[in-house]
Amino acid sequence: MKDLIDLFLREHEEDMMTAIKGAIAIPSVKDVAGAQPHAPFGYEVQRALRYTLSVLDCMGFAGENIDFMVGRTRYGSHTGKDYAVMTHLDVVPAGDGWTVPPFEATIRDGRLYGRGALDDKGPAIATIYALAAARAVLQSSGVEPENAIVLLFGTDEESEWTDMTAYQQHYELPSSGFSPDGDFPVVNSEKGLLGLRLHGTAQERSTLRSAYGGVRSNVVPSHAEAVIAIPAGRSDSIRMALTGSEEDDGFRVRVTQQFNDIVITVDGKPTHASTPGKGHNAIGKLLTVLDAVGALEGVPLLQYMARSVGTDWTGRGLGVDIHDEISGSLTFNLGVLSWCNGTGTLDLDIRYPVTATRETVMAVLGPSITAMTTGVTILDDTPPHYVDCSSPLVATLGRAYQDHTYRKPHCISMGGGTYAHLIPNAVSFGPQFPGHPATEHGPDEYIELDDLLVATRIYASAMVALLIGEPGT
């Protein structure tokens, strides 16, 4: 079986890479302002969905466009069990700091660069070719599938998952499956996600005119800026206090004067909000700089966050540095800041361990932030997800991984939330291999070409096993 899969994918490798490049070339960032009835997340997201359906058609699969939100195809028996393979076609904004065009799919030094190369367009297109390889293996062997694989291509994964809500108005989700949107060997536990929007106001004495930063709460912000009024006689003292902060701890802080205002700009390093320690939060740094010069006096929400959080990502200053042995520590991200004319919002991305609950977090966090805000909006409330590592599904996926890597499989946890949350017996399965840097949501996102090709073979082997109902599945 392994040789047949390899032969098929070698024959189709060039076509697959062309298809992936075409998908990356579409800037499928959610565009609420450009939403239309036939493009609910904007033109480019719908274009990415239609493009993927065309790839399905080229590979001989009948694709469906569910409410212009989810792509779907199904291969296999109508009497056995369905297994979902769930990916997504939407991406986060490109952001700054790229050395290659983010939407041109550049191959350099054995890597495929582009927004979505790793998260999640590369794996999405790869699952089509993996299923085609699995079909070819069964057909050449004269074996009829006992079960079925359902490929699902979402378009709102980076935001609110309304795509999958719409999908479930038409089809019931399978009870088992995997999402190629994480790490190998097998991610059997994913942290809970709590997204909060804190609303605040300033008092009349505040010198803060405006402050902005971040593009999505699930991205560590790489850029933030603020404008503060210069109190009479304090121009020199403020500039003196800011002297020396231009290059500090991985941040770049720039200070300029415009008439009676001072503009402070901070550049950090973006990364996925599930791994905030790998980035440098520009909003957190901006708040600490503003607080240092007294610009947050009279702005209780932002002053509190500057002093309790700043550039820390553990939640320690807020008393929510929770940890468990299964999934590790809570992470805390100041994601999006919008402040103007004495009022504004700050969006938080909090990922908490699988043994905790939203109530656990809010019992500690709630009283303190409530005292500093004029209101709190819950943007996301996704509970933790856990599948027993001894489950038959995990065993089947682990065998496929071992067959192609010769490494012993084991279960791991991650902070990122994938579509696997939607299905009780689903896990995240690749495409990132152990020891390789996480580049999703940052500049110069890439996937190693060899990793992508091996991952496709692993997916094909796993699909064959699920289709024929290997013992234990």
Side-chain angles (χ1 to χ4, degrees), residues 134-179:
R135 178 185 60 189
V137 167
L138 296 185
Q139 290 176 346
S140 66
S141 305
V143 176
E144 290 294 326
E146 295 183 10
N147 301 312
I149 298 292
V150 180
L151 299 186
L152 298 177
F153 305 92
T155 57
D156 194 32
E157 194 273 349
E158 298 290 4
S159 296
E160 301 173 53
W161 292 20
T162 55
D163 51 350
M164 289 301 169
T165 301
Y167 176 83
Q168 291 176 80
Q169 302 301 311
H170 298 269
Y171 290 102
E172 182 178 353
L173 284 169
S175 60
S176 189
F178 64 90
S179 178

Side-chain angles (χ1 to χ4, degrees), residues 75-421:
Y75 169 75
S77 170
H78 290 280
T79 58
K81 184 175 182 178
D82 283 4
Y83 291 92
V85 177
M86 302 167 287
T87 56
H88 66 92
L89 306 172
D90 59 314
V91 296
V92 297
D96 301 321
W98 289 74
T99 63
V100 295
F103 296 109
E104 287 190 13
T106 302
I107 292 180
R108 187 178 71 189
D109 300 328
R111 297 169 174 173
L112 174 63
Y113 288 85
R115 178 60 84 225
L118 178 63
D119 181 23
D120 194 32
K121 290 179 177 179
I125 300 298
T127 63
I128 299 174
Y129 283 82
L131 184 57
R135 178 185 60 189
V137 167
L138 296 185
Q139 290 176 346
S140 66
S141 305
V143 176
E144 290 294 326
E146 295 183 10
N147 301 312
I149 298 292
V150 180
L151 299 186
L152 298 177
F153 305 92
T155 57
D156 194 32
E157 194 273 349
E158 298 290 4
S159 296
E160 301 173 53
W161 292 20
T162 55
D163 51 350
M164 289 301 169
T165 301
Y167 176 83
Q168 291 176 80
Q169 302 301 311
H170 298 269
Y171 290 102
E172 182 178 353
L173 284 169
S175 60
S176 189
F178 64 90
S179 178
D181 192 18
D183 299 330
F184 285 123
V186 179
V187 178
N188 73 316
S189 65
E190 298 182 10
K191 292 177 181 176
L193 172 58
L194 179 59
L196 301 177
R197 173 166 292 163
L198 309 184
H199 303 259
T201 57
Q203 299 169 1
E204 289 185 5
R205 70 176 185 271
S206 170
T207 60
L208 180 65
R209 294 194 186 278
S210 64
Y212 298 95
V215 291
R216 293 276 182 90
S217 60
N218 62 353
V219 181
V220 171
S222 63
H223 181 83
E225 58 186 73
V227 178
I228 60 176
I230 304 174
R234 288 204 59 201
S235 174
D236 291 342
S237 63
I238 290 177
R239 293 188 66 84
M240 183 76 68
L242 292 169
T243 300
S245 63
E246 284 78 8
E247 299 288 343
D248 181 39
D249 298 335
F251 296 95
R252 183 185 181 195
V253 182
R254 288 167 290 175
V255 181
T256 58
Q257 185 168 343
Q258 296 180 355
F259 302 103
N260 293 322
D261 292 336
I262 286 180
V263 180
I264 303 172
T265 303
V266 177
D267 290 309
K269 178 184 177 183
T271 188
H272 197 289
S274 65
T275 56
K278 297 179 179 179
H280 300 294
N281 193 305
I283 291 176
K285 181 64 176 180
L286 176 67
L287 294 182
T288 60
V289 171
L290 291 172
D291 191 42
V293 297
L296 298 184
E297 292 295 331
V299 192
L301 170 59
L302 300 188
Q303 186 180 65
Y304 180 71
M305 285 297 165
R307 297 177 180 182
S308 300
V309 182
T311 58
D312 178 68
W313 49 267
T314 67
R316 185 178 299 110
L318 297 168
V320 290
D321 48 334
I322 305 168
H323 176 90
D324 69 22
E325 294 301 320
I326 298 173
S327 56
S329 299
L330 176 145
T331 60
F332 193 98
N333 182 50
L334 302 175
V336 181
L337 171 63
S338 178
W339 195 274
C340 187
N341 296 326
T343 186
T345 58
L346 178 62
D347 292 356
L348 311 179
D349 180 293
I350 304 168
R351 315 234 171 177
Y352 56 90
V354 298
T355 56
T357 64
R358 183 191 79 173
E359 289 73 21
T360 306
V361 176
M362 290 303 295
V364 178
L365 189 62
S368 59
I369 63 173
T370 299
M372 299 296 168
T373 66
T374 57
V376 178
T377 302
I378 296 178
L379 302 176
D380 200 332
D381 182 16
T382 305
H385 181 70
Y386 179 78
V387 175
D388 195 314
C389 198
S390 64
S391 77
L393 172 71
V394 171
T396 298
L397 301 182
R399 283 194 296 271
Y401 172 81
Q402 187 169 17
D403 285 346
H404 290 274
T405 64
Y406 306 102
R407 302 173 186 172
K408 186 176 180 180
H410 59 277
C411 289
I412 58 175
S413 176
M414 74 176 190
T418 73
Y419 284 144
H421 269 83

Side-chain angles (χ1 to χ4, degrees), residues 416-463:
T418 73
Y419 284 144
H421 269 83
L422 298 170
I423 296 176
N425 189 39
V427 297
S428 179
F429 188 46
Q432 189 81 334
F433 283 91
H436 291 198
T439 61
E440 70 274 21
H441 290 202
D444 285 353
E445 175 183 345
Y446 71 84
I447 187 169
E448 299 279 355
L449 289 174
D450 288 345
D451 288 358
L452 179 60
L453 298 177
V454 173
T456 308
R457 285 157 172 76
I458 292 172
Y459 296 144
S461 290
M463 290 177 187

Side-chain angles (χ1 to χ4, degrees), residues 31-36:
D31 177 16
V32 177
Q36 299 289 334

Side-chain angles (χ1 to χ4, degrees), residues 1-76:
M1 178 186 73
K2 182 179 173 183
D3 290 341
L4 291 174
I5 288 173
D6 186 67
L7 177 62
F8 179 91
L9 291 175
R10 283 184 183 277
E11 291 176 348
H12 292 82
E13 181 178 317
E14 184 176 346
D15 290 342
M16 183 178 80
M17 293 308 304
T18 298
I20 291 173
K21 290 178 182 179
I24 293 173
I26 301 172
S28 51
V29 178
K30 186 176 182 178
D31 177 16
V32 177
Q36 299 289 334
H38 294 88
F41 306 126
Y43 171 75
E44 297 295 354
V45 174
Q46 186 59 207
R47 190 157 72 96
L49 178 54
R50 292 183 180 278
Y51 175 86
T52 303
L53 292 173
S54 73
V55 177
L56 281 171
D57 183 67
C58 288
M59 296 306 294
F61 295 112
E64 296 179 72
N65 188 336
I66 311 299
D67 285 352
F68 309 100
M69 296 186 188
V70 179
R72 178 185 189 269
T73 195
R74 183 182 183 280
Y75 169 75

